[in-house]
Amino acid sequence: VANLWLVYSKPVPANGRELWTLFLQCSCITVVIGGLFYNWMFASLEYPWHLSVAMAISFSLLLLLTLFLVHPARCVFTMIMPTLGTKQGRKLLLSTCIMIVVVNVIPNIISNIKTILQVIKCICKNSSDSLLNSTALLGTASWEFGDAIQETGHAINIYQPMNGHFQFSSLKNSSLIYQQMHLAGEKIGRDFLAAEVLVKDSVRIGNKLVAGFSMLYLCFESTWYLKNYLTNFRFDNFYITKKLERLAVERKAAHLLVSPPRNLVRPTGMKLSREEVVVCLVQAMLLTVALMLMLVVVAMDHFAFSVADTAERKAAQFSVVPVTLSIKYRVSAGVPSLSLHGDPAACQIIGGELPLKEFKKSYHHYLTFSSAHCRISPPTPPDPSVLLVIGLLFCILYATVFLGTYAHRLCRKIAGSFFESWEEKRALYLYKKLCRKHKEG
């Protein structure tokens, strides 16, 4: 493995054997990266398969030529691998989490909301049907009441109306109400479908843009690191490397590294500097905010399912509401007391009240709110695997927060192995800096 890495990190192969070894190494790398690139474009970014194949082949050929012919590009590409464990890798994993939520959770929320609307539509339709049917009951009651009034008029024989029936009119044609309800339901359904398509398309396009930007920035960050490594001795130069230890031993100054300054760390050690700890904590807080937002969406999914399930069960259990119309009508005639004025001996007619007609009747009707003929799609329960996958991905994300520091150190080690002469100059610069501080102290 050491020999293969030596051939891979050399600026120029020493002989034909090393040249073929380098070509085989680059070929194996490009085959693996090309397969991953195809799967990323087709499965994650949802590009057509033929476009994904063409892009993967073109990218693999270009990568093969670049790795085989350009030594600094080989170093930049190698540093991209550990850089995936830093913030750019976290961006890609966050993009994956967002796509999982959008593809699996949001459509489920919309489906359960549709179920709730179907229950409301069913209740409105059945209650309006039952209410319209109750108008026939009112018509029957009014007609019978009119008959009673006619009979009372004949019995009194003082005033006879031409027609004692009430003129009661109701909406006989209920198709207009059904049509309006159907149009309203279709409009709501179209609005929800348009919103669902808009959300999916927006997130899909946004995910593609974020993914493309993340990959470009990943390459830019590795290039920027290598540029600063090769041009600035102070850049990322606070590690106690083997070259620095050997240089201190050769110049009989090993005491400088016995109690080094606090800002110096060993690249292979677990110790984190104060700046590295602060950066890790800030990144962990940002990840927690993103996790809370995703958990809110998942909780909305569970809440929508709970409401839809309860609405469907309660709608089927709605009891019939009895409605009773009672009419009580009583007619009586009063006779006043009469006497002959001026004649006290005259006889008197004692007044009184004579009942002529009494009407009392009750009419019964039942209002229904649900029916077995309603087309209600069953509520869709949340997928528990989605929460499991999101939890696992966020565990990886939280791990990369702290592993990113060691990945950054690995980038420096890769750059040092590709440019050994420059690494010796950087070690010499750090050694002189320690010597100056030791003399000043």
Side-chain angles (χ1 to χ4, degrees):
V1 175
N3 291 332
L4 291 176
W5 178 257
L6 183 63
V7 172
Y8 182 76
S9 60
K10 269 186 178 180
V12 179
N15 48 47
R17 181 174 177 274
E18 289 187 355
L19 182 67
W20 279 107
T21 302
L22 178 63
F23 180 77
L24 290 175
Q25 286 178 322
C26 295
S27 300
C28 293
I29 292 172
T30 52
V31 168
V32 174
I33 297 300
L36 294 175
F37 186 76
Y38 165 78
N39 184 71
W40 179 58
M41 290 193 64
F42 181 70
S44 298
L45 301 183
E46 299 181 353
Y47 280 103
W49 69 270
H50 50 85
L51 179 62
S52 301
V53 170
M55 290 291 292
I57 293 176
S58 303
F59 176 75
S60 299
L61 293 176
L62 180 62
L63 182 64
L64 175 61
L65 292 176
T66 304
L67 293 180
F68 183 66
L69 299 177
V70 185
H71 176 254
R74 203 155 58 238
C75 177
V76 170
F77 174 79
T78 308
M79 283 194 296
I80 287 177
M81 298 299 107
T83 308
L84 284 172
T86 60
K87 58 184 179 180
Q88 296 307 315
R90 287 195 296 275
K91 287 181 180 180
L92 294 176
L93 287 178
L94 274 176
S95 175
T96 303
C97 289
I98 292 173
M99 281 302 297
I100 290 174
V101 170
V102 170
V103 172
N104 296 280
V105 177
I106 293 182
N108 199 51
I109 294 175
I110 295 177
S111 174
N112 288 325
I113 292 177
K114 287 180 180 178
T115 301
I116 297 172
L117 293 177
Q118 287 173 358
V119 172
I120 296 174
K121 179 181 177 182
C122 174
I123 293 175
C124 293
K125 182 179 181 301
N126 284 278
S127 59
S128 62
D129 285 344
S130 183
L131 189 60
L132 288 173
N133 291 333
S134 67
T135 58
L137 176 69
L138 294 176
T140 302
S142 65
W143 191 262
E144 293 182 357
F145 188 43
D147 289 338
I149 291 176
Q150 282 284 83
E151 294 177 3
T152 303
H154 286 294
I156 296 175
N157 200 20
I158 297 174
Y159 171 74
Q160 295 184 5
M162 294 179 63
N163 187 1
H165 297 100
F166 292 99
Q167 296 298 321
F168 183 84
S169 62
S170 62
L171 183 63
K172 299 298 183 183
N173 187 10
S174 60
S175 60
L176 180 61
I177 294 179
Y178 297 154
Q179 183 181 4
Q180 293 297 326
M181 292 179 60
H182 180 69
L183 291 176
E186 283 190 345
K187 184 178 183 302
I188 294 174
R190 287 195 302 269
D191 291 342
F192 268 94
L193 181 60
E196 181 179 359
V197 172
L198 179 63
V199 169
K200 283 186 176 181
D201 291 343
S202 300
V203 174
R204 189 179 293 113
I205 293 173
N207 187 58
K208 291 178 181 179
L209 293 176
V210 170
F213 176 77
S214 298
M215 291 303 298
L216 291 176
Y217 190 78
L218 197 63
C219 298
F220 168 77
E221 189 174 21
S222 298
T223 306
W224 175 82
Y225 182 91
L226 183 60
K227 179 258 181 188
N228 284 284
Y229 177 85
L230 296 175
T231 57
N232 188 1
F233 285 118
R234 293 190 299 262
F235 175 74
D236 199 26
N237 195 7
F238 53 86
Y239 300 102
I240 304 176
T241 59
K242 291 182 179 180
K243 291 185 182 296
L244 180 62
E245 291 178 339
R246 186 173 65 249
L247 186 63
V249 171
E250 290 175 356
R251 302 196 177 189
K252 299 179 180 181
H255 61 278
L256 296 175
L257 303 179
V258 175
S259 57
R262 294 182 178 180
N263 60 340
L264 291 183
V265 295
R266 295 185 181 275
T268 57
M270 300 297 293
K271 178 184 175 182
L272 296 178
S273 64
R274 181 180 302 176
E275 293 78 9
E276 291 172 338
V277 171
V278 172
V279 171
C280 290
L281 292 178
V282 171
Q283 292 173 350
M285 290 176 61
L286 295 176
L287 272 182
T288 304
V289 173
L291 177 61
M292 291 298 105
L293 293 176
M294 291 192 182
L295 289 180
V296 167
V297 178
V298 174
M300 289 175 58
D301 186 19
H302 285 77
F303 177 74
F305 168 72
S306 176
V307 173
D309 184 57
T310 303
E312 186 190 30
R313 288 187 289 103
K314 294 298 182 182
Q317 296 173 2
F318 274 163
S319 60
V320 178
V321 178
V323 177
T324 303
L325 176 64
S326 298
I327 299 178
K328 187 176 182 181
Y329 175 68
R330 186 170 181 268
V331 179
S332 62
V335 181
S337 299
L338 299 177
S339 65
L340 298 176
H341 297 286
D343 189 359
C347 63
Q348 292 183 347
I349 302 176
I350 300 175
E353 190 177 277
L354 301 175
L356 298 178
K357 187 67 176 177
E358 183 175 356
F359 180 84
K360 183 178 180 181
K361 196 168 185 180
S362 297
Y363 300 88
H364 299 281
H365 184 68
Y366 296 94
L367 292 177
T368 57
F369 294 95
S370 63
S371 172
H373 300 289
C374 291
R375 297 178 59 185
I376 300 177
S377 57
T380 308
D383 189 358
S385 62
V386 173
L387 190 59
L388 178 62
V389 171
I390 292 176
L392 291 176
L393 288 178
F394 266 90
C395 288
I396 298 174
L397 285 170
Y398 277 108
T400 58
V401 168
F402 299 96
L403 293 178
T405 301
Y406 305 104
H408 184 78
R409 296 178 184 179
L410 184 58
C411 288
R412 186 190 182 283
K413 192 171 183 180
I414 291 172
S417 63
F418 271 82
F419 300 93
E420 292 186 355
S421 60
W422 196 258
E423 178 66 19
E424 292 177 356
K425 294 179 182 179
R426 290 170 62 87
L428 180 61
Y429 171 82
L430 183 57
Y431 170 77
K432 292 180 179 179
K433 184 178 178 180
L434 291 175
C435 290
R436 286 196 304 269
K437 286 187 176 181
H438 181 72
K439 290 179 181 180
E440 292 174 359

